[in-house]
Amino acid sequence: MNSRYFAAQAFAKNRHGNQKYGEFPYSVHLDAVAKLAEPFGLDAMIIAQLHDIIEDTDTSFNELAECFGFTIADAVNYVTDVKLEDRAKRKLEINQRLAALNIEEEAARLALIVKVCDRLANVLSSSQSSPRHYKMYQNEHPAFKEAVYRPGLCDGLWKELNALIIGQPEAILCKQATS
């Protein structure tokens, strides 16, 4: 880790304040996403810490760009849900946006990786503690995968996510226990 990562982690923790992820501080979710993003480099881990900050706080794109640079801010912006009440409409909008991304652009490539890390972290958590959310992610998976999957981009994460979605979390849990 380095000072940029720790700055992003502290910034996110401060901005998310008292928000919760289930019964835990929101930072638990952000740390889980960052750990999944670790093999993809420091910028992916920073984006993982910041991925919900525009969506869930009053932090602006310009503030993120000023603090962390345009690549980080662009990637966070790509993965930010629009503020619509209806989840189906929100997911349709973001899936359309993500489907249009070109992985030749660094921010787009990183955004797609972090989006998979976020979904994997959510599915892992819900598969163990929230059957309602787990079922929701299962139902959303085909549209999510169609929008986000790019061959060769983060195939290992997709393998884990697909195994969880089809109801084989024991394969993933065994792998984690031996890691």
Side-chain angles (χ1 to χ4, degrees):
M1 306 296 170
N2 77 12
S3 60
R4 286 180 57 232
Y5 175 78
F6 290 123
Q9 186 180 45
F11 186 86
K13 189 173 186 174
N14 176 272
R15 293 299 172 98
H16 283 284
N18 293 326
Q19 291 175 5
K20 296 284 190 183
Y21 184 78
E23 63 189 54
F24 301 103
Y26 204 76
S27 60
V28 168
H29 170 64
L30 301 177
D31 290 344
V33 177
K35 182 166 180 46
L36 290 168
E38 188 172 9
F40 304 96
L42 181 62
D43 283 351
M45 294 175 66
I46 290 169
I47 294 160
Q49 283 293 333
L50 301 170
H51 77 274
D52 282 334
I53 207 156
I54 294 174
E55 184 176 321
D56 293 344
T57 76
D58 62 0
T59 305
S60 71
F61 172 88
N62 288 337
E63 187 176 6
L64 270 186
E66 184 177 311
C67 293
F68 299 101
F70 281 102
T71 299
I72 300 294
D74 281 343
V76 171
N77 201 46
Y78 286 145
V79 300
T80 297
D81 275 355
V82 293
K83 295 182 191 285
L84 297 172
E85 290 296 318
D86 183 271
R87 180 177 175 89
K89 289 180 182 174
R90 276 196 328 266
K91 295 307 169 188
L92 177 62
E93 189 281 335
I94 196 166
N95 284 344
Q96 289 173 340
R97 184 172 359 119
L98 294 170
L101 294 181
N102 180 345
I103 63 169
E104 298 301 316
E105 179 200 350
E106 183 67 3
R109 186 183 71 76
L110 290 166
L112 291 167
I113 291 168
V114 171
K115 194 66 178 174
V116 177
C117 293
D118 179 37
R119 182 55 63 108
L120 179 55
N122 285 332
V123 172
L124 278 166
S125 176
S126 67
S127 72
Q128 298 169 19
S129 64
S130 178
R132 180 177 65 87
H133 286 104
Y134 178 67
K135 186 70 173 163
M136 176 188 70
Y137 292 125
Q138 285 179 311
N139 291 335
E140 291 176 350
H141 187 68
F144 176 79
K145 186 173 183 179
E146 184 176 328
V148 179
Y149 177 71
R150 304 297 193 280
L153 184 56
C154 49
D155 289 341
L157 294 175
W158 280 106
K159 186 175 180 180
E160 289 183 50
L161 181 57
N162 289 332
L164 282 166
I165 289 297
I166 63 170
Q168 296 177 339
E170 57 280 345
I172 303 306
L173 297 175
C174 290
K175 179 182 175 207
Q176 290 174 344
T178 60
S179 297

